[in-house]
Amino acid sequence: MLTRPLDLASKLRPPPRSLDLLFFVNGGLIVLFFFLFGSQFVLAPGLGLNFHLPSMPGARSGAAQTTHRITVKPSGLIYIEDGPADLERLAKWLTAEAKKTRQPSLLIIASKDVPQGKIVEIASLATAAGFVHVQEAAEEPIAEKK
């Protein structure tokens, strides 16, 4: 061992005999922060602060519950449950998820600045992967006061 020639082992403090209160306080704080920052209330990494859904009349009446969701940014970046993805990785993920779920449906959450062609391309990938229903997220337009 490397400590024997210099006799460093004799100069070390002995290990503590009991766990003090500070150890438990530190452990509790670590657990608390994991619960806080792993919470559903923390902003998802795929959504920005200026993220606006497109407005569409009848958006609420056409809404349906979905089993899977993805987020598409105006830059073309796609966020799935596993993190950012390109179209190739998205196709593999959609195929794997369609096999896991009975009657899979997909919600595409895209900003209003995303080109419609990109959304159609993603929807066709989902349909080819086996998704039964593909829906784009939209907001009901706000009625103007006169």
Side-chain angles (χ1 to χ4, degrees):
M1 193 153 119
L2 294 176
T3 60
R4 287 188 186 147
L6 300 175
D7 196 27
L8 294 177
S10 65
K11 295 174 178 56
L12 294 176
R13 282 188 309 184
R17 294 179 189 229
S18 66
L19 300 173
D20 57 349
L21 182 64
L22 188 60
F23 173 78
F24 291 111
V25 171
N26 282 338
L29 287 174
I30 289 172
V31 170
L32 175 72
F33 282 121
F34 271 109
F35 278 113
L36 286 177
F37 293 116
S39 170
Q40 63 182 346
F41 303 109
V42 176
L43 189 63
L47 297 177
L49 295 177
N50 55 0
F51 189 87
H52 300 290
L53 291 174
S55 61
M56 187 181 308
R60 285 190 188 156
S61 61
Q65 189 171 6
T66 57
T67 57
H68 298 82
R69 65 181 228 173
I70 62 170
T71 305
V72 183
K73 300 279 284 186
S75 62
L77 190 59
I78 302 167
Y79 282 95
I80 57 178
E81 293 173 1
D82 302 334
D86 56 354
L87 286 175
E88 186 177 317
R89 184 172 176 220
L90 175 67
K92 291 177 185 176
W93 181 78
L94 288 171
T95 305
E97 291 296 317
K99 291 177 183 175
K100 291 180 189 175
T101 309
R102 189 174 153 253
Q103 298 289 329
S105 58
L106 179 68
L107 175 64
I108 302 172
I109 304 170
S111 175
K112 65 181 180 180
D113 301 327
V114 174
Q116 198 63 30
K118 184 80 164 178
I119 296 170
V120 170
E121 187 177 6
I122 293 170
S124 64
L125 280 175
T127 305
F131 278 78
V132 177
H133 183 69
V134 179
Q135 184 172 359
E136 181 184 356
E139 292 179 330
E140 191 75 33
I142 299 171
E144 295 182 20
K145 295 181 181 180
K146 293 182 180 181

